[in-house]
Amino acid sequence: MADAGGAKAIEASKPEEKKKSPWLDAWHDPVAGMSCYSSFLCLADLVADGDHRLIMVDLKKRIRMYKGTTIQWEHKLPDVPCAVQAFYHEAANPPIPTLAVASGHRVLIFRNMRPSMQYRLPPIEIDPAEARIWEEMGQESADLQAGFEKLNTARENGVALSNLSIDFLAVEDLAAQAEYIRAHKDYLHEQQTSITCTEVLKQNMDEPTAVSMLVIGTENRMIYILNSDALNLAAKVKLEAVPTFISVLGLFDVEYRITVACRDGNIYTVKNGQVLSNVIELETQPVGLVRFDKNVYVGCMDNVIHCFHFKGKKNHSIYLPCPISCMSLLQITKSRVAKALVVALQNGEVRLYNGKHLIATVETNDVVSGIRLGTFGREEGSMVLSFKSGALMVKILQRNANLDGASINVGPPPEQDIPLDVPKKTKLYVEQTSREREQAIDMHRTFQRDLCKLRLSTARAYVNLLGTGHGPMSSSGGAQVRINAQVLGMGPQFKILVRVQNAGPVGSDGGHPSAGSARSERQRGLLTIEHPKAPAVPVGDLSMVVNGSPQQSFN
């Protein structure tokens, strides 16, 4: 009966645990057919009617827009995209955002769901040494093998070669090299870079519909900030490595910070166009970057999320059971002010953290490839999940969900707060305590006096033991022989190892032939004695040496 009651209690607790989950299932489309990364997802109010749309791009060169659960618009892209962002290029009424799709070295601009224009990134400057080598190889009587060796030497010396030269060094046949030069000698000055990551920076107002600017990270270790019209450069910054994740904070016209995670495993901070000297070094490569107030959360390939202060000091780390798929920030500002960190894992779990406290875990039964949090439709706390299988899922945060990490029970178990059943203090205990408190000085002096007497008695007994020859080392007065006994083993069977050593000066031996060797070294003997009750074991030989000559042997 007790087991049945316990089972009923467990079954009754399961639905209560499900009700405590802060997420509500809004929509799930298993056949959406678009597998997107986090940078491929965007939420924006494209029509300024208060109904936010979901914009998605994928590796199949498609851009799609969802209104609620229906596909409202889809378009074909000219190249494979790498990111999509929505920004406001002007202060209009009503405010209608602009879509920017990063693809290769171009930024495709969509306005009113139509292609409007494109911006091309500045080309990469060719190294003068590389340009001179290509100019020599472009001549009719040029030595291609010598040019090949010069390009290879330039690469070994640290010259950043263009893609054209790198592809040329991969060609080994001489005839193929000549054909390659004839086909590409006029394209050397058209080296282009590629976009790796994008973000949006507010220009002069911290409002949801304020004029904003695009921040672009590229393969040539540059950070470009475009004007609000996305036609000209407003600023550019040179980094030490290729940026992979970008997080921005502040206003461009006032003060701004750009936190960049790069491929060299470091995190750099750009403040007002200048790269700061404080660099955060990671143990492994970063897989996600989230800015949380004054803290920076970085997910790494070793299944750990590190939290740093924006000045570089490490706050704490969160250890996860499996690799991290993607990370994002949940931010609510309308109904209430709340922020939380959302982490998707490779095992299908989506975890919600407030600081270092785990608030909730959602099982999706699929590998999450991309995540985006924001306003979808008219719900502010929406979470859009894109899966590796091409499925699409939308969850909504409950309006009364508790995101306070302080209310979560962490640390020691609750049993620690249960008081122990300590017996009451007796009258004798109280009297003894009061006596010790009143006579503490006298008790301490008595203890020290008795301790000194004990030490003196022990020292005297040890001296007497050595004098009678019962100590660990003994010596006779005439022969000056040192004897040391040692017990080996314990239990019913043990051995006693006796070492006998001549410790006195060696006298005259009357011209004995071995006198020199007897004087030059001390001879030792060993005697092994078994316990009387132990089985009979052969006893070793003991040779005693007195004044350098053997006197007695035991067999």
Side-chain angles (χ1 to χ4, degrees), residues 19-275:
K19 291 180 182 179
K20 291 182 180 179
S21 177
W23 297 105
L24 299 176
D25 295 332
W27 177 49
H28 181 217
D29 185 5
V31 292
M34 293 189 72
S35 180
C36 306
Y37 300 108
S38 296
S39 60
F40 289 6
L41 301 172
C42 179
L43 294 170
D45 186 7
L46 294 179
V47 193
D49 58 352
D51 191 359
H52 287 66
R53 270 73 165 174
L54 169 64
I55 301 96
M56 306 171 63
V57 296
D58 64 351
L59 299 177
K60 297 180 181 180
K61 304 179 183 180
R62 295 178 299 176
I63 179 171
R64 180 184 297 178
M65 183 174 65
Y66 281 91
K67 179 183 179 182
T69 60
T70 60
I71 301 176
Q72 185 179 7
W73 174 70
E74 188 169 353
H75 194 273
K76 194 71 175 177
L77 298 175
D79 201 355
V80 178
C82 62
V84 60
Q85 292 289 346
F87 68 100
Y88 292 88
H89 67 282
E90 60 182 1
N93 191 14
I96 298 178
T98 299
L99 281 181
V101 180
S103 177
H105 65 282
R106 298 178 297 178
V107 179
L108 308 177
I109 305 299
F110 291 85
R111 291 177 180 171
N112 298 322
M113 293 182 291
R114 293 181 180 179
S116 175
M117 58 183 180
Q118 65 177 354
Y119 174 78
R120 293 177 179 267
L121 294 178
I124 301 176
E125 297 181 0
I126 305 298
D127 192 270
E130 181 184 0
R132 186 166 53 254
I133 295 173
W134 272 93
E135 184 178 356
E136 294 176 357
M137 291 192 301
Q139 300 176 2
E140 296 181 357
S141 60
D143 186 2
L144 300 182
Q145 189 64 26
F148 184 89
E149 295 296 336
K150 290 181 180 179
L151 284 176
N152 197 13
T153 304
R155 181 173 62 177
E156 293 177 354
N157 293 335
V159 177
L161 300 180
S162 62
N163 295 337
L164 193 64
S165 299
I166 294 175
D167 294 340
F168 174 73
L169 292 178
V171 181
E172 298 180 356
D173 187 23
L174 189 60
Q177 291 178 359
E179 182 65 25
Y180 185 88
I181 291 176
R182 283 194 298 269
H184 299 87
K185 64 180 181 180
D186 297 332
Y187 297 96
L188 178 62
H189 302 287
E190 296 184 359
Q191 171 69 12
Q192 299 290 343
T193 184
S194 297
I195 300 174
T196 59
C197 50
T198 60
E199 193 52 78
V200 175
L201 174 65
K202 303 294 183 181
Q203 185 172 356
N204 49 25
M205 294 179 62
D206 192 10
E207 297 292 336
T209 59
V211 178
S212 51
M213 312 166 70
L214 278 179
V215 182
I216 301 174
T218 61
E219 286 282 353
N220 61 334
R221 306 177 183 178
M222 295 293 295
I223 295 291
Y224 295 105
I225 303 178
L226 305 185
N227 286 334
S228 58
D229 54 4
L231 292 177
N232 299 307
L233 282 178
K236 60 179 181 179
V237 182
K238 181 70 174 180
L239 299 176
E240 296 294 331
V242 179
T244 55
F245 299 96
I246 293 180
S247 178
V248 299
L249 180 67
L251 305 175
F252 180 79
D253 293 342
V254 182
E255 181 181 273
Y256 66 92
R257 287 176 180 264
I258 304 177
T259 305
V260 188
C262 298
R263 289 181 185 168
D264 60 348
N266 295 336
I267 298 177
Y268 301 91
T269 303
V270 179
K271 182 179 180 182
N272 298 333
Q274 301 293 329
V275 181

Side-chain angles (χ1 to χ4, degrees), residues 38 287-288 298-305 318-328 341-353 358 360-371 383 385-388:
S38 296
V287 296
V298 186
C300 299
M301 295 183 67
D302 55 352
N303 310 344
V304 182
I305 299 176
I318 303 174
Y319 294 89
L320 302 173
C322 62
I324 303 170
S325 179
C326 47
M327 299 169 53
S328 186
L341 176 67
V342 179
V343 183
L345 305 181
Q346 292 286 350
N347 61 354
E349 291 184 359
V350 179
R351 297 191 171 193
L352 184 64
Y353 286 94
L358 177 62
T361 302
V362 178
E363 296 287 347
T364 60
N365 300 323
D366 199 351
V367 180
V368 179
S369 60
I371 185 172
M383 178 174 62
L385 300 174
S386 179
F387 297 97
K388 188 176 181 180

Side-chain angles (χ1 to χ4, degrees), residues 434-497:
S434 60
R435 187 183 69 85
E436 293 178 357
R437 188 183 302 112
E438 294 172 358
Q439 303 178 4
I441 299 177
D442 296 337
M443 292 176 63
H444 179 69
R445 290 176 179 174
T446 304
F447 173 76
Q448 292 295 330
R449 183 188 61 200
D450 294 343
L451 182 61
C452 292
K453 289 182 178 180
L454 178 62
R455 290 175 179 173
L456 179 60
S457 302
T458 305
R460 287 176 177 174
Y462 184 70
V463 170
N464 295 333
L465 187 65
L466 293 179
T468 57
H470 297 295
M473 297 182 62
S474 304
S475 60
S476 60
Q480 296 185 359
V481 177
R482 183 176 300 169
I483 302 175
N484 186 9
Q486 183 181 3
V487 180
L488 302 179
M490 58 185 298
Q493 183 177 358
F494 58 89
K495 294 182 180 181
I496 299 178
L497 181 64

Side-chain angles (χ1 to χ4, degrees), residues 374-394:
T375 303
F376 183 44
R378 299 184 184 275
E379 290 294 333
E380 185 180 14
S382 300
M383 178 174 62
V384 181
L385 300 174
S386 179
F387 297 97
K388 188 176 181 180
S389 61
L392 185 64
M393 180 183 292
V394 178

Side-chain angles (χ1 to χ4, degrees), residues 245 247 259 261 267 280 282 286-300 304-310 315-318 327-329 340-343 353-357:
F245 299 96
S247 178
T259 305
I267 298 177
I280 300 176
L282 304 175
V287 296
L289 176 68
V290 172
R291 187 72 177 262
F292 195 116
D293 294 334
K294 293 185 178 181
N295 298 327
V296 179
Y297 286 85
V298 186
C300 299
V304 182
I305 299 176
H306 299 288
C307 177
F308 298 92
H309 192 266
F310 71 93
N315 295 330
H316 60 268
S317 297
I318 303 174
M327 299 169 53
S328 186
L329 177 65
L341 176 67
V342 179
V343 183
Y353 286 94
N354 189 345
K356 59 182 178 180
H357 305 301

